[in-house]
Amino acid sequence: MKIILMALSIIISLLIGHLSFAAIIINTGEDFKLATANLEDQTFHEQLAEWVKFEYKYISVYDNVVYEKHRGGWEARQELKRNEFFFMLPEIKAKMIEIFDSAEELVVEKEARFKTLFADLPNVPVYFLPSMNGFNGKVTSVLGQPALFIGVDVVASRNDNLDVLFSHEFFHAYHSTKIANGEVGTTMASPLWREGFATYVSSLLNPEQNDEALLMDTALTQACSDKKFIGDIAKQFLTIISANGDLDYADWFLKEGGTQPSRRGYCLGLQVVREIAKKNEVKEMITWGEARFSAEISTVLQEFTK
């Protein structure tokens, strides 16, 4: 293992030394510093007034990616997120500024690490911004191309492992360009595949990290170490695998999911992809459409229930 890690470090160092900076960085850090410069001396309403000016500079991102105004109930969602953000801001502001200030260095390093396995990663815009306690990393389409959004506030509050986070999110961006015919899945098999695959690839890129680091959740990792638990949730997932994800996605993949442990879809997806990768090449699996990966997932889940 030490030899593997040393070799990976050497490769990354060489790539950084010779790599032209490919990713496009949109860093809101300087505007963030201005908007929060007098935080300690302001009332909440004064803070909010400055913050609205900040958001307006990046209005498209905040409307579409952070508050998701295309979904119903965005006004209440916006108010809740802003309240949560300002409550936690005094404790995380210094760490956020540290991350903002190191944004370019971070992207160059993490992009180089990713390219040790996937050299044809396209130029991916990387946004560093406060996500209003919404996400640590998120990939979505901007003008028809994948873009990566780093929620600096969530990363700072959770002290997330950035090697794992960038590997996971860069793979989402990469994967979206490789899926057969640009297919976007419509069933619950799709998020299980996408998230499990991204977590698995992160394990390949970060072999020194254990499952707790990969899943970013101690309680979830402990639950997933139990073979019976995996069998039970595999059985449950088989009942919804062909369902439209609108009703079940949050319960399986979001931290606010009602069933505990939350985000158990990540754990199940990781176990599934590990099994599938024993018999298939990763670079072939990347191109599979929903019909193929659904069939493969179903087979593995059936095995898990035995």
Side-chain angles (χ1 to χ4, degrees), residues 254-294:
L254 299 184
K255 63 182 179 180
E256 59 265 30
T259 305
Q260 297 299 313
S262 62
R263 300 175 61 252
R264 64 200 184 284
Y266 285 83
C267 153
L268 183 60
L270 174 59
Q271 300 304 325
V272 166
V273 175
R274 277 176 171 162
E275 289 300 311
I276 294 173
K278 291 177 181 178
K279 300 178 181 179
N280 299 274
E281 295 292 330
V282 166
K283 291 191 177 181
E284 176 196 349
M285 292 162 58
I286 289 171
T287 67
W288 290 354
E290 189 172 38
R292 175 67 186 274
F293 65 67
S294 292

Coordinates of all heavy atoms in Angstrom, one line a residue, residues 254-294:
L254 N -30.5 11.6 0.7 CA -30.3 12.9 1.3 C -30.2 12.8 2.8 O -30.8 11.9 3.4 CB -31.4 13.9 0.9 CG -31.6 14.2 -0.6 CD1 -32.7 15.2 -0.8 CD2 -30.3 14.7 -1.2
K255 N -29.5 13.7 3.4 CA -29.3 13.7 4.9 C -30.6 13.9 5.6 O -30.7 13.5 6.8 CB -28.2 14.7 5.3 CG -28.5 16.1 5.1 CD -27.4 17.0 5.5 CE -27.7 18.5 5.3 NZ -26.6 19.4 5.7
E256 N -31.5 14.6 5.0 CA -32.8 14.8 5.6 C -33.8 13.7 5.4 O -35.0 13.8 5.7 CB -33.4 16.1 5.2 CG -33.7 16.3 3.7 CD -32.5 17.0 3.0 OE1 -31.4 16.8 3.5 OE2 -32.8 17.6 2.0
G257 N -33.3 12.6 4.8 CA -34.2 11.4 4.6 C -34.8 10.9 5.9 O -34.1 10.9 6.9
G258 N -36.0 10.4 5.8 CA -36.7 10.0 7.0 C -36.3 8.7 7.6 O -36.3 8.5 8.9
T259 N -35.8 7.8 6.8 CA -35.3 6.5 7.3 C -33.9 6.6 7.7 O -33.0 7.1 7.0 CB -35.5 5.4 6.3 OG1 -36.9 5.4 5.8 CG2 -35.2 4.1 6.8
Q260 N -33.6 6.0 8.9 CA -32.2 6.1 9.4 C -31.5 4.7 9.2 O -32.2 3.7 9.2 CB -32.2 6.4 10.9 CG -32.7 7.8 11.2 CD -31.9 8.9 10.5 OE1 -30.6 8.9 10.5 NE2 -32.6 9.8 9.8
P261 N -30.2 4.7 8.9 CA -29.4 5.8 8.7 C -29.6 6.5 7.4 O -29.9 5.9 6.4 CB -27.9 5.2 8.8 CG -28.1 3.9 8.2 CD -29.4 3.4 8.8
S262 N -29.6 7.9 7.4 CA -29.8 8.6 6.2 C -28.7 8.4 5.2 O -27.6 7.9 5.6 CB -29.9 10.1 6.5 OG -28.7 10.6 7.1
R263 N -29.0 8.6 3.9 CA -28.0 8.5 2.8 C -27.5 7.0 2.6 O -26.5 6.8 2.1 CB -26.8 9.4 3.1 CG -27.1 10.9 3.2 CD -25.9 11.7 3.5 NE -24.8 11.6 2.5 CZ -23.7 11.0 2.7 NH1 -23.5 10.4 3.9 NH2 -22.8 10.9 1.8
R264 N -28.4 6.1 3.1 CA -27.9 4.7 3.0 C -27.8 4.2 1.5 O -27.2 3.2 1.2 CB -28.9 3.8 3.7 CG -30.3 3.7 3.2 CD -31.3 3.2 4.2 NE -32.7 3.1 3.7 CZ -33.5 4.1 3.5 NH1 -33.1 5.4 3.7 NH2 -34.7 3.9 3.1
G265 N -28.4 5.0 0.6 CA -28.2 4.6 -0.8 C -26.7 4.7 -1.3 O -26.3 4.0 -2.2
Y266 N -26.0 5.6 -0.7 CA -24.5 5.7 -1.0 C -23.8 4.4 -0.6 O -23.0 3.9 -1.3 CB -23.9 6.9 -0.3 CG -24.2 8.2 -0.9 CD1 -25.4 8.9 -0.6 CD2 -23.4 8.9 -1.7 CE1 -25.7 10.1 -1.1 CE2 -23.7 10.1 -2.3 CZ -24.9 10.7 -2.0 OH -25.2 11.9 -2.5
C267 N -24.1 4.0 0.6 CA -23.5 2.7 1.1 C -23.8 1.5 0.2 O -23.0 0.8 -0.2 CB -23.9 2.5 2.5 SG -23.9 0.8 3.1
L268 N -25.1 1.4 -0.1 CA -25.6 0.3 -0.9 C -25.0 0.4 -2.3 O -24.5 -0.6 -2.9 CB -27.1 0.2 -0.9 CG -27.7 -1.0 -1.7 CD1 -27.3 -2.3 -1.1 CD2 -29.2 -0.9 -1.7
G269 N -25.0 1.5 -2.9 CA -24.4 1.7 -4.2 C -22.9 1.4 -4.2 O -22.5 0.7 -5.2
L270 N -22.2 1.8 -3.2 CA -20.8 1.4 -3.2 C -20.6 -0.1 -3.2 O -19.7 -0.6 -3.9 CB -20.1 2.1 -1.9 CG -18.7 1.7 -1.7 CD1 -17.8 2.1 -2.8 CD2 -18.2 2.3 -0.4
Q271 N -21.3 -0.8 -2.3 CA -21.2 -2.2 -2.2 C -21.6 -2.9 -3.6 O -20.9 -3.9 -4.0 CB -22.1 -2.8 -1.1 CG -21.8 -2.3 0.3 CD -20.3 -2.5 0.7 OE1 -19.7 -3.5 0.3 NE2 -19.8 -1.5 1.4
V272 N -22.6 -2.4 -4.2 CA -23.0 -2.9 -5.5 C -21.9 -2.8 -6.6 O -21.6 -3.7 -7.3 CB -24.4 -2.3 -6.0 CG1 -24.6 -2.6 -7.4 CG2 -25.5 -2.8 -5.1
V273 N -21.4 -1.6 -6.7 CA -20.4 -1.3 -7.7 C -19.1 -2.1 -7.5 O -18.5 -2.5 -8.4 CB -20.1 0.2 -7.8 CG1 -19.0 0.5 -8.8 CG2 -21.4 1.0 -8.3
R274 N -18.8 -2.2 -6.2 CA -17.6 -3.0 -5.9 C -17.8 -4.5 -6.5 O -16.8 -5.0 -7.0 CB -17.4 -3.1 -4.4 CG -16.7 -1.9 -3.8 CD -16.6 -2.0 -2.3 NE -15.7 -0.9 -1.8 CZ -15.7 -0.5 -0.5 NH1 -16.5 -1.1 0.4 NH2 -14.8 0.4 -0.1
E275 N -18.9 -5.0 -6.3 CA -19.2 -6.4 -6.8 C -19.1 -6.4 -8.4 O -18.5 -7.3 -9.0 CB -20.5 -6.9 -6.3 CG -20.6 -7.2 -4.9 CD -19.5 -8.3 -4.5 OE1 -19.5 -9.3 -5.2 OE2 -18.8 -8.1 -3.5
I276 N -19.8 -5.4 -9.0 CA -19.8 -5.4 -10.5 C -18.4 -5.2 -11.0 O -18.1 -5.8 -12.1 CB -20.8 -4.3 -10.9 CG1 -22.2 -4.6 -10.5 CG2 -20.7 -4.1 -12.4 CD1 -23.2 -3.5 -10.8
A277 N -17.6 -4.4 -10.4 CA -16.3 -4.1 -10.9 C -15.3 -5.3 -10.8 O -14.3 -5.2 -11.4 CB -15.7 -2.9 -10.1
K278 N -15.7 -6.3 -10.0 CA -14.9 -7.5 -10.0 C -14.9 -8.2 -11.3 O -13.9 -9.0 -11.6 CB -15.4 -8.4 -8.9 CG -15.2 -7.9 -7.5 CD -15.8 -8.8 -6.4 CE -15.6 -8.3 -5.0 NZ -16.2 -9.2 -4.0
K279 N -15.9 -8.0 -12.1 CA -16.0 -8.8 -13.4 C -16.0 -7.9 -14.6 O -16.2 -8.4 -15.7 CB -17.3 -9.6 -13.3 CG -17.4 -10.6 -12.2 CD -18.7 -11.4 -12.2 CE -18.8 -12.4 -11.1 NZ -20.1 -13.1 -11.1
N280 N -15.9 -6.6 -14.4 CA -16.0 -5.6 -15.5 C -15.0 -4.5 -15.4 O -14.6 -4.2 -14.2 CB -17.4 -5.0 -15.6 CG -18.5 -6.0 -15.8 OD1 -18.8 -6.4 -16.9 ND2 -19.1 -6.5 -14.7
E281 N -14.6 -4.0 -16.5 CA -13.6 -2.9 -16.5 C -14.4 -1.5 -16.2 O -15.4 -1.3 -16.8 CB -12.9 -2.8 -17.8 CG -12.0 -4.0 -18.1 CD -10.8 -4.0 -17.2 OE1 -10.4 -2.9 -16.8 OE2 -10.3 -5.1 -16.9
V282 N -13.8 -0.7 -15.4 CA -14.4 0.6 -15.0 C -14.7 1.4 -16.3 O -15.7 2.0 -16.4 CB -13.5 1.3 -14.0 CG1 -13.9 2.8 -13.9 CG2 -13.5 0.7 -12.7
K283 N -13.7 1.5 -17.2 CA -13.9 2.4 -18.3 C -15.0 1.8 -19.3 O -15.5 2.6 -20.1 CB -12.6 2.5 -19.1 CG -11.6 3.4 -18.2 CD -10.4 3.8 -19.0 CE -9.5 4.7 -18.1 NZ -8.3 5.2 -18.7
E284 N -15.3 0.6 -19.2 CA -16.5 0.0 -19.9 C -17.8 0.4 -19.2 O -18.7 0.8 -19.7 CB -16.3 -1.5 -20.1 CG -17.6 -2.1 -20.8 CD -17.6 -3.6 -20.6 OE1 -16.6 -4.2 -20.2 OE2 -18.7 -4.2 -21.0
M285 N -17.7 0.2 -17.9 CA -18.9 0.4 -17.0 C -19.4 1.9 -17.2 O -20.6 2.1 -17.1 CB -18.6 0.1 -15.6 CG -18.4 -1.4 -15.3 SD -17.5 -1.7 -13.7 CE -18.6 -0.9 -12.5
I286 N -18.5 2.8 -17.3 CA -18.8 4.2 -17.4 C -19.8 4.5 -18.6 O -20.6 5.4 -18.5 CB -17.5 5.1 -17.7 CG1 -16.7 5.1 -16.4 CG2 -17.9 6.5 -18.1 CD1 -15.3 5.7 -16.6
T287 N -19.7 3.7 -19.6 CA -20.6 3.9 -20.8 C -21.9 3.3 -20.7 O -22.8 3.5 -21.6 CB -19.9 3.4 -22.1 OG1 -19.8 2.0 -22.0 CG2 -18.5 4.0 -22.2
W288 N -22.2 2.5 -19.7 CA -23.5 1.7 -19.6 C -24.6 2.7 -19.5 O -24.6 3.6 -18.7 CB -23.5 0.8 -18.5 CG -22.5 -0.4 -18.6 CD1 -21.8 -0.7 -19.7 CD2 -22.2 -1.4 -17.6 NE1 -21.1 -1.9 -19.5 CE2 -21.3 -2.3 -18.2 CE3 -22.6 -1.6 -16.3 CZ2 -20.8 -3.4 -17.5 CZ3 -22.1 -2.6 -15.6 CH2 -21.2 -3.5 -16.2
G289 N -25.7 2.4 -20.2 CA -27.0 3.1 -20.1 C -27.8 2.4 -19.0 O -27.4 1.4 -18.4
E290 N -29.0 3.0 -18.7 CA -29.8 2.5 -17.6 C -30.2 1.1 -17.7 O -30.3 0.4 -16.7 CB -31.0 3.4 -17.4 CG -31.8 3.2 -16.1 CD -32.8 4.2 -15.8 OE1 -33.5 4.6 -16.8 OE2 -33.0 4.5 -14.7
A291 N -30.5 0.6 -18.9 CA -31.0 -0.7 -19.1 C -29.9 -1.7 -18.7 O -30.2 -2.7 -18.0 CB -31.4 -1.0 -20.6
R292 N -28.7 -1.4 -19.0 CA -27.6 -2.3 -18.7 C -27.3 -2.3 -17.2 O -27.2 -3.3 -16.5 CB -26.3 -2.0 -19.5 CG -25.1 -2.8 -19.1 CD -25.2 -4.3 -19.4 NE -24.1 -5.1 -18.9 CZ -22.9 -5.2 -19.5 NH1 -22.7 -4.6 -20.7 NH2 -22.0 -6.0 -19.0
F293 N -27.1 -1.1 -16.6 CA -26.7 -1.0 -15.2 C -27.8 -1.5 -14.3 O -27.6 -2.0 -13.2 CB -26.0 0.3 -14.8 CG -26.9 1.5 -14.8 CD1 -27.9 1.7 -14.0 CD2 -26.5 2.6 -15.7 CE1 -28.7 2.9 -14.0 CE2 -27.2 3.8 -15.7 CZ -28.3 3.9 -14.9
S294 N -29.1 -1.3 -14.7 CA -30.2 -1.7 -13.9 C -30.2 -3.2 -13.8 O -30.4 -3.8 -12.7 CB -31.5 -1.3 -14.5 OG -31.7 0.1 -14.4

